[in-house]
Amino acid sequence: MADLNKFFETVDSLKPEFIQRLSDAVAIPSVSADAEHRPEVVKMAHWTVDQLKALGAHDIELRELGVQEGTEDLQLPPVVLAKYGNDANKKNILIYGHLDVQPALKEDGWNTDPFVLTVDEEKDVMYGRGSTDDKGPVIGWLNAIEAYKKAGIDFPVNLVMCFEGMEESGSLGLEQLVFAEGDKYFKGVDAVCISDNYWLGTTHPVLTYGLRGCNYYSITITGPGADLHSGVFGGIVNEPMIDLSKVLATLVDGKGKIQIEGVDKMVAPVTEEERSRYDDIHYDIKELTEATGGNDINMHSTKEDTLMARWRYPSLSIHGIEGAFSGAGAKTVIPAKVSGKFSIRTVPNINSKMLDELVFAHVEKEFAKLGSKCKLNVELVHDGDYWVSDPNNWNFTAAKKATKAVWGVEPDLTREGGSIPITLIFEQATKSDVLLLPMGRGDDGAHSINEKLNISNYIGGVKTLGAYLHYIAEEKKE
Amino acid sequence: MADLNKFFETVDSLKPEFIQRLSDAVAIPSVSADAEHRPEVVKMAHWTVDQLKALGAHDIELRELGVQEGTEDLQLPPVVLAKYGNDANKKNILIYGHLDVQPALKEDGWNTDPFVLTVDEEKDVMYGRGSTDDKGPVIGWLNAIEAYKKAGIDFPVNLVMCFEGMEESGSLGLEQLVFAEGDKYFKGVDAVCISDNYWLGTTHPVLTYGLRGCNYYSITITGPGADLHSGVFGGIVNEPMIDLSKVLATLVDGKGKIQIEGVDKMVAPVTEEERSRYDDIHYDIKELTEATGGNDINMHSTKEDTLMARWRYPSLSIHGIEGAFSGAGAKTVIPAKVSGKFSIRTVPNINSKMLDELVFAHVEKEFAKLGSKCKLNVELVHDGDYWVSDPNNWNFTAAKKATKAVWGVEPDLTREGGSIPITLIFEQATKSDVLLLPMGRGDDGAHSINEKLNISNYIGGVKTLGAYLHYIAEEKKE
């Protein structure tokens, strides 16, 4: 504990340097979505390598992933692999983060230049694209290394680092790399820690043990060979948009309950132990109204029901329609071919392939009921499995101790409604426990304008990451 | 009849000149939809004025309509008004047509330059944008004047001409002008003839006595203040796209029957006389399969049911959705605000205002059933009434005689499923009978690539227009 206190003090003393380091990183507009920004993502990888070299990391590699699929010759940005420490008596902890960011333009409505870290000490806030997602956490790890070094404390574990540059664009190429390196670069990994999500609210630290999966579907209905004029053909022909509306309307009821037969039965029942976890979670459903832009559109009336709906029940959202008239104004077209897009967020114990079968059968049955001469095609666009870990395992125990040591409270144990597919990949490839240990707050606005990270979360986060390494070193591996 | 035969012979002898005149007109790309083409529309108006002057028309005016609504300073193209003949003992026949065309680019898939009239004598076809819609018919009137002149026959009527340049873009400004000139420039008009539609098929000439109206609606459902991530909010909040799909699904059944209560009751019952008109119409429903691109999506099994569905029953089409994800690929968004667009084609005796009330009540009732916290707004975007004339009145009688004289057959009496709002405006403003007398065939592809007009329809059309003037002069006005 003396070591930890010294580590904490050193972190506090390095605050100006740590903010400068984050500022340097935010200044590189490493937007992965645009080909024209690709050199900046590469620059960000090189910047990270330079930092790692200066800190004494070894076995540093810039792993090339080849040409981006669907492009002529656009190279994917390299993945940064690095190790810090090589002591056979220490545990090997794999940490993952990403160096790329979402697009951002001042004109989108930012109050400040998105690629200039703007620090407001009074408000305890730093604004900038990537501040919380995910440069803050990645640099948090670098800061932790530096603080251990400067405090003169032996680093508690061997770190195995994996920082990618395509997370905001589907982590292209990463899955193959992680599986390929499972018993090579990542050999001997004892546990994985990912810092790339957020506290549930704004005041209470959390650890995250579950993510929903996502199966994304497309229903395509084809009628005429080309768009038709509704004056000439309206009332005569079967119209794909009418058929599609009718099929989409059968997928889910007005209370969010999925109407596809058999889905319910696959959902794991709520145990008493699980239910009790929700009681103490720090969350006010009034926050939801703010998060949805001030309109109360919550279908649930209690905190527990709301969180369970987000975390442990499946949901179905209809995203839109491709091929129909989507502009402003009035166009009297009968669209020839329309594709309705919807996705189902999956949870234990939904079998992804079984879900596909149920969805296809339901859509085909409902379409058949219409007696339409249009043609139907329903397909899975992409899928990614859910992930749920045991929040009482040794990896979480270490993180709980770290949270308590830094924040003075027990962390809430949360799940997320969204998907971070790489989580499950790391679990499978390293055959070890994965922990999600967030740094930022629920209101950081990761993909929005005015993305921010609170200074206290940044500094407290560096301490938490460092303390986690301290406690995982002590913890008995399960 | 001797006069008419001489007129027909003269038309035949002038065929090269008539084709050249159409060729000159097609060469002016008078696309009304694009601001950048506006000068070409104006040029086309001036070209027409020059033609009219050369033919001896008088009281020629280029009537300016002011700045186009919604633009800074884009002038609407002028309407060409002209008279030919001024004999108090002759009837005054108003003819209408339009000088503007739909957009066309070679890259759209045209086999030939769309703005070069390409004549294939062997195939009896002339390709070019505007050939059939509506330069062929407009120039047909000019050709008829020339042929009467060159044949040395006294022109049978006084013509009052109205040629606009915005028909393909909503006839902006025309309605006001027509009503304003009802008892001024158009004073004393005995009958109106519009040549701006098509034969039903490809072999049999038709006269058209009805058009459906169109009421266009938008249902807007608003949920969150901004788009949400379906991972984070799916299953928690009411989603506008889900609500909208459910409401849209209630509008019409799979057989095209409108499900909005009360609409059916407003539709005039089919009389025996009306039903019998359908028996002899030359139409093979197999043509419909070709017209819809080779896919048989006809909801009806007989010619009569198919034509009645197009002409005399209302229909409801869903055109698309504004605000939802409409791109290719997969996006996991919960759209914040979506607007579903649909329209109802109206027929006798649907009261437009009453229809609005029924639509609003239905949509509100169906939305209320959902128990959603989203907000609903349903509104009429635009409307235009149906038009039905008596196909046995004196105006039609003259046109029937003309058709018989030129084509040797009785014309089919048709209606159209689409709307030509200006038809009703002319009827109301001039308080006279309107006749739709088409020149081209049903497969001319008016708004498509490779728009064409058959040479035989062009020359036969000039004869029919001229013969119509001959017979309307003889006919006793009702």
Side-chain angles (χ1 to χ4, degrees):
Chain A
M1 197 65 200
D3 271 3
L4 257 195
N5 283 336
K6 192 162 180 209
F7 169 74
F8 292 163
E9 281 163 22
T10 312
V11 170
D12 283 328
S13 71
L14 289 169
K15 181 176 147 185
E17 286 85 347
F18 290 170
I19 291 177
Q20 185 57 50
R21 183 176 274 141
L22 181 58
S23 180
D24 293 346
V26 166
I28 302 169
S30 52
V31 176
S32 57
D34 309 331
E36 58 180 303
H37 277 95
R38 189 58 52 86
E40 301 290 340
V41 186
V42 176
K43 184 177 168 188
M44 184 65 203
H46 284 273
W47 179 90
T48 305
V49 166
D50 291 344
Q51 296 283 321
L52 288 166
K53 279 183 184 161
L55 289 167
H58 54 94
D59 291 316
I60 301 172
E61 294 185 27
L62 280 166
R63 194 67 73 89
E64 294 296 339
L65 299 175
V67 171
Q68 185 170 334
E69 213 179 293
T71 71
E72 191 76 19
D73 54 6
L74 181 63
Q75 288 288 328
L76 287 167
V79 171
V80 176
L81 297 177
K83 293 186 177 176
Y84 184 75
N86 194 17
D87 185 335
N89 295 319
K90 292 179 184 172
K91 294 197 182 77
N92 301 305
I93 306 300
L94 191 155
I95 58 174
Y96 159 87
H98 63 91
L99 304 170
D100 61 317
V101 297
Q102 284 275 321
L105 295 169
K106 181 85 166 68
E107 304 89 89
D108 294 340
W110 283 72
N111 295 325
T112 60
D113 183 334
F115 295 108
V116 172
L117 189 77
T118 306
V119 182
D120 186 331
E121 288 273 359
E122 205 168 313
K123 286 190 180 158
D124 180 39
V125 176
M126 303 180 289
Y127 296 98
R129 176 54 90 218
S131 57
T132 194
D133 181 19
D134 186 38
K135 290 179 175 174
V138 166
I139 291 163
W141 291 112
L142 306 185
N143 295 341
I145 295 173
E146 184 181 2
Y148 268 110
K149 262 179 101 160
K150 294 218 164 140
I153 307 166
D154 184 44
F155 202 72
V157 302
N158 302 317
L159 276 186
V160 181
M161 291 170 268
C162 175
F163 301 134
E164 69 156 322
M166 283 298 282
E167 199 272 347
E168 301 295 0
S169 301
S171 291
L172 300 179
L174 187 64
E175 177 174 341
Q176 295 85 326
L177 180 141
V178 173
F179 276 121
E181 298 301 328
D183 52 9
K184 291 177 190 159
Y185 201 95
F186 301 151
K187 191 174 178 179
V189 162
D190 295 295
V192 179
C193 181
I194 298 175
S195 186
D196 187 23
N197 67 312
Y198 311 94
W199 292 359
L200 179 59
T202 58
T203 56
H204 204 87
V206 315
L207 304 177
T208 303
Y209 68 97
L211 300 165
R212 293 196 290 189
C214 182
N215 284 25
Y216 200 106
Y217 300 98
S218 175
I219 301 173
T220 299
I221 299 182
T222 311
D227 287 358
L228 299 177
H229 189 290
S230 67
V232 182
F233 294 98
I236 298 186
V237 299
N238 285 119
E239 300 188 15
M241 255 310 278
I242 291 175
D243 294 350
L244 181 60
S245 299
K246 287 179 176 292
V247 173
L248 290 176
T250 68
L251 298 173
V252 58
D253 76 8
K255 292 290 165 197
K257 195 167 149 50
I258 295 172
Q259 302 291 294
I260 298 164
E261 208 182 316
V263 173
D264 263 10
K265 284 178 209 145
M266 292 197 288
V267 177
V270 183
T271 63
E272 266 318 298
E273 192 268 334
E274 183 192 349
R275 185 180 297 280
S276 70
R277 277 185 219 155
Y278 287 81
D279 296 339
D280 300 327
I281 288 177
H282 297 78
Y283 186 66
D284 184 342
I285 57 168
K286 284 181 197 145
E287 284 182 30
L288 190 68
T289 301
E290 197 170 322
T292 56
N295 305 333
D296 171 19
I297 50 172
N298 191 348
M299 296 189 288
H300 309 280
S301 53
T302 68
K303 175 184 80 175
E304 289 76 6
D305 287 348
T306 303
L307 292 179
M308 282 192 174
R310 174 181 288 173
W311 294 348
R312 66 102 54 227
Y313 283 112
S315 65
L316 189 151
S317 295
I318 302 178
H319 309 297
I321 292 170
E322 181 182 353
F325 171 52
S326 61
K331 189 175 172 187
T332 54
V333 67
I334 297 176
K337 180 181 176 183
V338 290
S339 297
K341 317 277 183 84
F342 69 99
S343 66
I344 296 177
R345 296 285 164 174
T346 59
V347 296
N349 299 314
I350 290 179
N351 176 295
S352 179
K353 292 290 157 251
M354 182 88 78
L355 180 64
D356 296 346
E357 296 306 317
L358 294 175
V359 167
F360 298 162
H362 174 90
V363 169
E364 281 157 11
K365 185 187 70 182
E366 292 297 330
F367 179 73
K369 280 186 194 170
L370 304 178
S372 170
K373 287 183 176 175
C374 293
K375 300 277 175 278
L376 169 79
N377 182 45
V378 51
E379 59 184 5
L380 176 75
V381 178
H382 65 63
D383 57 359
D385 232 334
Y386 59 82
W387 168 78
V388 178
S389 187
D390 172 10
N392 297 317
N393 73 27
W394 71 295
N395 203 5
F396 279 82
T397 300
K400 285 174 193 172
K401 289 179 182 170
T403 304
K404 188 77 193 282
V406 176
W407 302 95
V409 294
E410 289 292 330
D412 280 344
L413 298 175
T414 66
R415 289 161 69 164
E416 296 236 348
S419 313
I420 312 178
I422 207 64
T423 308
L424 187 64
I425 307 300
F426 275 115
E427 184 177 280
Q428 293 170 343
T430 65
K431 298 181 184 65
S432 69
D433 291 317
V434 180
L435 157 77
L436 301 186
L437 176 53
M439 174 181 274
R441 300 182 184 180
D443 68 347
D444 280 355
H447 290 196
S448 303
I449 56 169
N450 302 319
E451 177 182 345
K452 60 94 179 167
L453 176 64
N454 291 77
I455 302 171
S456 55
N457 277 59
Y458 183 49
I459 300 303
V462 174
K463 291 178 185 172
T464 309
L465 298 178
Y468 159 72
L469 298 177
H470 170 87
Y471 285 111
I472 194 85
E474 290 182 346
E475 205 66 30
K476 187 172 151 41
K477 184 180 175 184
E478 285 166 5
Chain B
M1 198 67 200
D3 272 2
L4 257 194
N5 283 336
K6 193 162 179 207
F7 169 74
F8 293 163
E9 280 163 22
T10 312
V11 170
D12 284 326
S13 72
L14 289 169
K15 181 176 147 186
E17 286 85 347
F18 291 171
I19 290 177
Q20 185 57 50
R21 183 177 274 141
L22 181 58
S23 180
D24 293 346
V26 166
I28 302 170
S30 52
V31 176
S32 57
D34 309 332
E36 59 180 301
H37 277 95
R38 189 59 51 87
E40 301 291 339
V41 187
V42 175
K43 184 176 168 190
M44 184 66 204
H46 284 273
W47 179 91
T48 306
V49 165
D50 291 344
Q51 297 283 320
L52 288 166
K53 279 183 185 162
L55 290 167
H58 54 94
D59 292 317
I60 301 173
E61 294 186 28
L62 280 166
R63 194 67 73 86
E64 293 296 338
L65 299 175
V67 171
Q68 184 170 334
E69 214 179 291
T71 70
E72 192 76 20
D73 54 5
L74 181 64
Q75 288 289 327
L76 286 166
V79 171
V80 177
L81 296 177
K83 293 185 178 178
Y84 184 74
N86 194 17
D87 184 337
N89 294 318
K90 292 179 184 172
K91 294 197 181 76
N92 301 306
I93 305 300
L94 191 155
I95 58 175
Y96 159 86
H98 63 91
L99 305 170
D100 60 318
V101 297
Q102 284 276 322
L105 295 169
K106 180 86 166 69
E107 306 88 89
D108 294 341
W110 284 72
N111 295 326
T112 59
D113 184 334
F115 296 107
V116 172
L117 189 76
T118 306
V119 183
D120 186 331
E121 289 273 359
E122 205 168 313
K123 286 190 182 160
D124 180 39
V125 176
M126 303 179 290
Y127 297 98
R129 176 55 90 218
S131 56
T132 194
D133 181 18
D134 186 35
K135 290 179 176 175
V138 166
I139 290 162
W141 292 112
L142 306 185
N143 295 341
I145 294 174
E146 184 181 3
Y148 268 109
K149 262 179 100 162
K150 296 218 164 141
I153 308 166
D154 183 44
F155 202 72
V157 300
N158 302 318
L159 276 186
V160 180
M161 291 170 269
C162 177
F163 301 135
E164 69 157 322
M166 282 298 282
E167 199 273 346
E168 301 295 0
S169 301
S171 292
L172 300 179
L174 186 64
E175 178 174 342
Q176 295 85 325
L177 179 139
V178 173
F179 277 121
E181 299 300 328
D183 53 8
K184 290 178 190 158
Y185 200 94
F186 303 151
K187 191 175 178 180
V189 161
D190 295 296
V192 178
C193 182
I194 297 176
S195 186
D196 187 23
N197 66 311
Y198 311 94
W199 291 358
L200 178 59
T202 58
T203 57
H204 205 87
V206 315
L207 303 178
T208 304
Y209 67 97
L211 299 165
R212 293 196 290 189
C214 183
N215 283 25
Y216 200 105
Y217 300 97
S218 174
I219 302 173
T220 299
I221 299 182
T222 312
D227 287 358
L228 299 177
H229 189 290
S230 67
V232 182
F233 294 99
I236 298 186
V237 299
N238 286 120
E239 300 188 15
M241 254 311 277
I242 291 175
D243 293 352
L244 181 60
S245 299
K246 287 179 177 291
V247 173
L248 290 176
T250 68
L251 297 173
V252 58
D253 76 7
K255 293 289 164 197
K257 196 167 148 51
I258 295 172
Q259 302 292 294
I260 298 164
E261 208 182 316
V263 174
D264 263 10
K265 284 179 208 143
M266 291 197 288
V267 178
V270 184
T271 63
E272 265 318 298
E273 192 270 333
E274 183 192 349
R275 184 180 298 280
S276 69
R277 276 184 219 155
Y278 287 82
D279 296 340
D280 300 326
I281 288 176
H282 296 77
Y283 185 67
D284 184 341
I285 56 168
K286 284 181 197 145
E287 284 182 29
L288 190 69
T289 302
E290 197 169 322
T292 56
N295 305 332
D296 172 19
I297 50 173
N298 190 349
M299 296 189 288
H300 310 281
S301 53
T302 67
K303 175 184 79 175
E304 289 77 7
D305 287 349
T306 303
L307 292 179
M308 283 192 174
R310 173 181 288 175
W311 295 349
R312 65 101 57 225
Y313 284 112
S315 65
L316 188 152
S317 296
I318 303 177
H319 309 296
I321 292 170
E322 182 182 352
F325 171 53
S326 60
K331 188 175 172 187
T332 54
V333 67
I334 297 176
K337 181 182 176 183
V338 291
S339 297
K341 318 276 183 84
F342 70 99
S343 66
I344 297 177
R345 296 284 163 172
T346 59
V347 296
N349 299 311
I350 289 178
N351 177 296
S352 179
K353 293 289 157 251
M354 182 89 78
L355 180 64
D356 296 346
E357 295 308 316
L358 294 174
V359 167
F360 299 162
H362 174 90
V363 169
E364 280 157 13
K365 185 187 72 185
E366 292 297 330
F367 180 73
K369 279 187 194 169
L370 304 178
S372 170
K373 287 182 175 176
C374 294
K375 300 278 176 278
L376 169 78
N377 182 44
V378 51
E379 59 185 4
L380 176 75
V381 178
H382 64 63
D383 58 358
D385 232 334
Y386 58 81
W387 168 77
V388 178
S389 187
D390 171 10
N392 297 316
N393 72 27
W394 72 296
N395 203 4
F396 279 83
T397 300
K400 284 175 194 172
K401 288 178 182 169
T403 304
K404 188 76 194 283
V406 175
W407 302 95
V409 295
E410 289 294 329
D412 280 345
L413 298 174
T414 66
R415 289 162 70 164
E416 295 236 348
S419 313
I420 312 179
I422 207 64
T423 308
L424 188 63
I425 306 300
F426 275 115
E427 183 177 280
Q428 293 170 342
T430 66
K431 297 181 185 65
S432 69
D433 292 317
V434 180
L435 157 76
L436 302 187
L437 176 52
M439 175 181 274
R441 300 182 184 180
D443 67 347
D444 280 355
H447 290 195
S448 304
I449 54 170
N450 302 320
E451 176 182 345
K452 59 92 178 168
L453 177 63
N454 290 78
I455 302 171
S456 54
N457 277 58
Y458 184 50
I459 299 304
V462 174
K463 291 178 186 173
T464 309
L465 298 178
Y468 160 71
L469 298 177
H470 169 88
Y471 286 111
I472 194 87
E474 291 181 345
E475 205 67 28
K476 189 173 150 39
K477 184 179 175 184
E478 284 165 6

